[in-house]
Amino acid sequence: MYKVMIIDDDDHIREWLKTIIDWNSLPIELVCEAADSDTAIELYLLHRPKIIISDINIPIISGLELAEILKKEDPDL
């Protein structure tokens, strides 16, 4: 089972993503969600998800910059 994290500063988008993905039919589990990059980093270190669904335009640093940071932490992410 793969752990998944959703990152988006828009609550409605995060909720929408949670409803459009059929979590029960896939070998994935939503373990956390964040609205900004600082929270995302904290939650990543706590839960170590293997799949991250992220907006590019999030507060603090961009989703692209965040991806670079997390990729250094886990190249298989």
Side-chain angles (χ1 to χ4, degrees):
M1 175 97 33
Y2 292 99
K3 295 179 181 179
V4 178
M5 174 168 54
I6 296 174
I7 308 166
D8 198 304
D9 57 325
D10 186 327
D11 295 340
H12 294 100
I13 297 295
R14 287 197 318 271
E15 290 302 317
W16 176 72
L17 286 169
K18 290 191 294 188
T19 62
I20 65 164
I21 297 170
D22 187 357
W23 302 97
N24 295 322
S25 70
L26 301 169
I28 59 175
E29 172 189 14
L30 178 63
V31 293
C32 56
E33 56 185 271
D36 62 68
S37 59
D38 284 353
T39 303
I41 291 170
E42 289 177 27
L43 290 172
Y44 171 80
L45 293 172
L46 182 65
H47 296 283
R48 300 287 178 165
K50 283 295 187 184
I51 300 170
I52 296 178
I53 302 168
S54 180
D55 186 6
I56 292 174
N57 296 313
I58 55 174
I60 306 173
I61 63 171
S62 76
L64 296 175
E65 293 171 292
L66 177 62
E68 289 179 19
I69 291 168
L70 296 180
K71 192 77 171 152
K72 288 178 186 172
E73 194 69 32
D74 180 359
D76 294 327
L77 179 62

